[in-house]
Amino acid sequence: MTDHQQTVFITGATSGFGRATAERFAAAGWRVVATGRRTERLEALATRLRNDGADIHIATLDVRDSDAVQKVVADLPAAFANITCLVNNAGLALAPEPSQSVDLADWHTMIDTNITGLVNVTHALLPALIRTGKGASIVNLGSVAGQWPYPGGHVYGASKAFVEQFSYNLRCDLLGTGVRVTDVAPGLSQTEFTLVRTKGDQSASDRLYSGTDPLQPEDVAAQIFHVATLPEHVNINRMEIMATRQAWSPFAIDRD
């Protein structure tokens, strides 16, 4: 592997968008720092990508733990320390029921992961990204739920609205550094999202994707790679992606 290689740092790389993003960047010859909470999945990913000739470093990480985030960044091997792209993918949705029926702990978990975790990782890696300068990118995984409300969206949608506004505000603060920021906001995607949200209800997940053609993780990974590899003078502020077979619904109306 040569020294001119670029390095991507990915959170939540154990499944879904994160894993597909690691595969996409590795296939293009980037060094990959893959992080996530499930060590065995990280190890399996690393083995597979190394067998394909990729240069990958893995670290078990819960993004909610700011001290752990700082340590993972500080302990990066020299070959992986010059970060070109940060993909803030770690996040989750819980509690699809109405707000008045939700366990408060589920709200806290979403806030701690989707907001606090995003902030922890971004803050830790900003110095490295600014050192890289022109061509560096921060790609934050938002959601259509950040702009389009729906029943049961409550804190999840609000947390993704935070991702959008945080991305815009980062753009303002990073003006002149060369570092780009993009909010990538997918719609209906066939990942572990619903399985996690329903705490393991496979039938609920199967029903959501049945009879339609949702986005696949590789579709979203391709767009993440696209925005991270544009000419250095180009910044896509926000990219909202839906499956062709998904659109918006009319307003709900309560009638007598």
Side-chain angles (χ1 to χ4, degrees), residues 2-58:
T2 55
D3 291 336
H4 69 271
Q5 275 185 290
Q6 300 182 90
T7 301
V8 61
F9 187 109
I10 305 167
T11 65
T14 57
S15 66
F17 302 149
R19 182 172 60 199
T21 299
E23 293 166 349
R24 181 65 184 86
F25 278 82
W30 285 54
R31 289 189 175 105
V32 175
V33 178
T35 70
R37 291 185 300 157
R38 292 173 286 191
T39 304
E40 69 286 350
R41 290 198 179 190
L42 287 175
E43 291 173 344
L45 176 66
T47 297
R48 182 160 49 82
L49 293 185
R50 285 174 184 144
N51 287 341
D52 291 335
D55 202 350
I56 179 170
H57 171 73
I58 60 172

Side-chain angles (χ1 to χ4, degrees), residues 1 67 71 114 178 183 188 194 201 244:
M1 296 295 180
D67 290 338
K71 186 174 189 319
N114 300 355
D183 169 28
L188 181 68
T194 301
D201 187 344
T244 304

